[in-house]
Amino acid sequence: MLSTGALRAHLLAARLAGPVATSREESLRSYRLFAARDPRVLLGLDPERGWGEGDLLRLMADKCGVSADPSHVSGPDVIDPERTVAALEAFAGRLREAATAGSCVLFGTGHPHRLLGFYAGLAEAMSAAGCVVLTPAQGACVDMTTRFGVRTHRIAYVRGVALVREPGVRAPGSATGVHSHSPLPVRVALGALAEAGGPLPDLVVGDHGWVCGAGQLGVEAIGLADTDDPALFVGEAEGRVSVAVPLDDAVRSDYYHPLARYVLGRASLTGRQEWP
């Protein structure tokens, strides 16, 4: 199993933590938009309290390790690797509990180009442990707002992980999907399960709208989030997201393989042997 020291070194070397590619300007812009309750950054969350920019900056400093200084307005943002390691421990602990209980689990990502392999490895291990990996609403249409206006997408599953893609862009078996922050896909997926009489997921694992959208509907959710995704950390602070792991969510896909190995090891689950 990957040691904690090796994981910490990898986080820094791959820029998953430490100085990351997400800029301070991007993060502060997201905090401003979240404070104004812009749906583009709420990710399906309806905050219970009013979160001002200062509140969000203090929260993100506590959860991620970003600078709490409001006069720091430029340059790369910073994630404390110790916070990432601690959150991955909690993430693995929740997976271990779900595996022990034989839970129903739904995996979904808005970052299929980067994070599909990470979630797919977890989904395969959870299935091997006796969990039911749900794949509801396969092929269902979802009308999502994009910078080009409202576009119809379809829900697809690759290796047990939900993503969305524009119809006709790729073959059905393709792993390629679109980058999405929308909570609509998880709402459609959960709605399909409810209409069919269940079972509903005991746990949703993912990012962006998959986590916040599920948490807002009362389904336990855990996931990964960058410094410009305050919604997951607000959800965690308000009790609707169980675990939010701070890391850069847009580095090379293979850089997440050691994280998956670490999580599976800590969760006492068997992972893919071909991972480097």
Side-chain angles (χ1 to χ4, degrees):
M1 185 177 70
L2 192 70
S3 71
T4 301
L7 172 66
R8 187 183 299 109
H10 174 71
L11 290 171
L12 294 171
R15 295 190 66 186
L16 286 156
V20 294
T22 307
S23 70
R24 180 71 165 182
E25 294 92 333
E26 289 176 275
S27 295
L28 293 177
R29 177 178 179 273
S30 291
Y31 307 161
R32 288 193 297 271
L33 291 174
F34 191 98
R37 292 187 174 243
D38 189 309
R40 292 174 295 177
V41 295
L42 291 177
L43 309 183
L45 194 72
D46 183 14
E48 294 177 350
R49 54 165 283 194
W51 289 85
E53 292 178 47
D55 300 320
L56 291 165
L57 186 58
R58 287 187 289 273
L59 175 73
M60 298 301 283
D62 178 56
K63 296 288 188 179
C64 303
V66 305
S67 172
D69 182 359
S71 68
H72 178 198
V73 296
S74 63
D77 228 332
V78 176
I79 296 174
D80 177 7
E82 299 301 331
R83 287 172 169 83
T84 304
V85 171
L88 285 171
E89 289 279 354
F91 186 98
R94 186 62 196 94
L95 288 180
R96 182 172 58 250
E97 292 169 1
T100 300
S103 299
C104 294
V105 187
L106 175 63
F107 290 85
T109 182
H111 267 297
H113 299 83
R114 310 295 186 182
L115 291 169
L116 177 62
F118 174 83
Y119 297 123
L122 303 185
E124 290 164 5
M126 293 293 279
S127 178
C131 290
V132 177
V133 175
L134 299 168
T135 56
Q138 170 82 36
C141 291
V142 184
D143 292 329
M144 296 173 13
T145 301
T146 73
R147 58 180 177 169
F148 306 110
V150 176
R151 294 287 187 270
T152 298
H153 296 73
R154 289 189 185 275
I155 296 175
Y157 288 85
V158 177
R159 293 169 54 202
V161 182
L163 49 83
V164 293
R165 61 165 63 100
E166 294 182 84
V169 174
R170 296 281 179 176
S174 169
T176 303
V178 300
H179 177 210
S180 169
H181 286 206
S182 176
L184 295 179
V186 77
R187 292 175 186 168
V188 170
L190 293 175
L193 287 169
E195 186 175 343
L200 295 175
D202 301 298
L203 182 67
V204 172
V205 183
D207 48 62
H208 290 173
W210 289 94
V211 172
C212 290
Q216 182 63 36
L217 293 175
V219 179
E220 184 176 5
I222 62 177
L224 313 180
D226 210 330
T227 59
D228 61 349
D229 290 328
L232 276 82
F233 299 100
V234 170
E236 188 179 38
E238 292 190 345
R240 274 167 290 169
V241 173
S242 291
V243 182
V245 180
L247 50 70
D248 190 317
D249 59 11
V251 303
R252 281 174 35 179
S253 59
D254 58 311
Y255 287 172
Y256 298 98
H257 293 172
L259 276 65
R261 288 168 48 207
Y262 182 82
V263 166
L264 292 175
R266 300 300 287 181
S268 302
L269 295 167
T270 301
R272 297 175 61 194
Q273 297 304 310
E274 67 266 31
W275 272 338

